[in-house]
Amino acid sequence: MDPALEGRLGRVPDGELHRLLPGRGCWYVTSLDLQRAEAGFLRAWHADKQPPVIFHHRDVRDRIISQIRLLSGPAERVGSLPDHLIYRDIVSALPTMDARITLALTDPAFPGMEEARRCQWLARHPAVTVITHEELAGPAHGGTAEAREEAVTRLLHATGHPSLSPDSLSPDLPSPRSGDGDDLEVGVWRRHFTPAHERIFSRLHSDLPAMPSTLPAGSN
């Protein structure tokens, strides 16, 4: 960053920082690392709880399957993030889905796992509104219409629009893909995790956000 610009930003009062950032109505995030976020913004948000923070999270086991699919796919889909480039080579060298899941569960540097662990505070903080992928997926992707409506209602209240109808704002999600390619499907991990994978997950990652294993796909 230009030193002069950095100096000017350093003199902006904490309470004014959020006015310089996009998303002034609310922050809708899938992660927010306390170690990397701007300290002044966090101090101001702690004091005023503004702007509202919405945390959208997904069962980490489904996130693992989605990440493996991405890293196993065409190179142009992976982008240019260094960890994705490196792990695409590693994942592609493994012969089976079983081996790839084992890698994701046991390698602490596997893309997305460290991030999920660092951002658990979002699911625990009383001022953060939590919305899950499982709630928003709707019937077409293994969720329920009731859970989706309730989640959108919570979102409207958190952003100061309680009078709006959830039906008018529920997003139109893409139709499911045929076969095993629906990236939005709830509970897809159940088709790929073996009992050994579930034991590894329970031993190493039971603290991460996940839907209970006893629930059928689509339950909330």
Side-chain angles (χ1 to χ4, degrees):
M1 184 182 294
D2 176 72
L5 175 59
E6 188 173 7
R8 290 198 300 274
L9 289 175
R11 292 191 293 273
V12 175
D14 290 350
E16 298 296 317
L17 283 169
H18 74 277
R19 301 182 188 278
L20 305 178
L21 303 171
R24 298 176 188 177
C26 76
W27 270 37
Y28 194 103
V29 301
T30 56
S31 66
L32 187 59
D33 186 345
L34 291 177
Q35 300 302 314
R36 300 180 63 187
E38 211 290 320
F41 169 79
L42 292 175
R43 284 192 292 264
W45 182 81
H46 173 264
D48 300 330
K49 302 303 183 288
Q50 293 295 324
V53 173
I54 315 297
F55 176 42
H56 182 144
H57 82 75
R58 186 179 189 182
D59 187 317
V60 71
R61 295 164 293 188
D62 277 345
R63 290 178 60 181
I64 286 172
I65 299 301
S66 179
Q67 190 72 277
I68 289 173
R69 285 175 172 171
L70 173 67
L71 296 174
S72 303
E76 59 268 18
R77 290 188 57 203
V78 174
S80 60
L81 291 174
D83 61 334
H84 285 197
L85 293 173
I86 298 300
Y87 272 89
R88 183 178 185 275
D89 294 342
I90 296 172
V91 168
S92 298
L94 296 174
T96 65
M97 188 65 163
D98 184 285
R100 293 170 179 179
I101 294 173
T102 300
L103 169 75
L105 291 172
T106 57
D107 186 340
F110 188 82
M113 297 303 287
E114 288 185 36
E115 179 185 40
R117 181 153 276 107
R118 290 195 302 266
C119 296
Q120 293 179 86
W121 73 272
L122 287 160
R124 297 168 177 165
H125 199 288
V128 174
T129 298
V130 179
I131 304 291
T132 71
H133 169 82
E134 289 74 19
E135 292 170 319
L136 293 179
H141 300 278
T144 67
E146 294 78 13
R148 190 180 186 193
E149 180 177 348
E150 197 277 334
V152 174
T153 298
R154 290 204 316 275
L155 179 61
L156 291 171
H157 277 270
T159 55
H161 301 286
S163 62
L164 294 179
S165 166
D167 291 337
S168 66
L169 293 182
S170 291
D172 293 326
L173 298 179
S175 299
R177 299 178 185 175
S178 59
D180 196 34
D182 180 11
D183 287 335
L184 298 177
E185 182 182 356
V186 171
V188 67
W189 66 269
R190 292 181 174 87
R191 292 203 297 274
H192 298 283
F193 273 50
T194 66
H197 293 141
E198 294 193 48
R199 288 192 294 271
I200 295 172
F201 181 85
S202 178
R203 186 175 76 251
L204 299 179
H205 305 296
S206 59
D207 58 319
L208 295 180
M211 300 297 288
S213 298
T214 54
L215 291 180
S219 296
N220 289 276

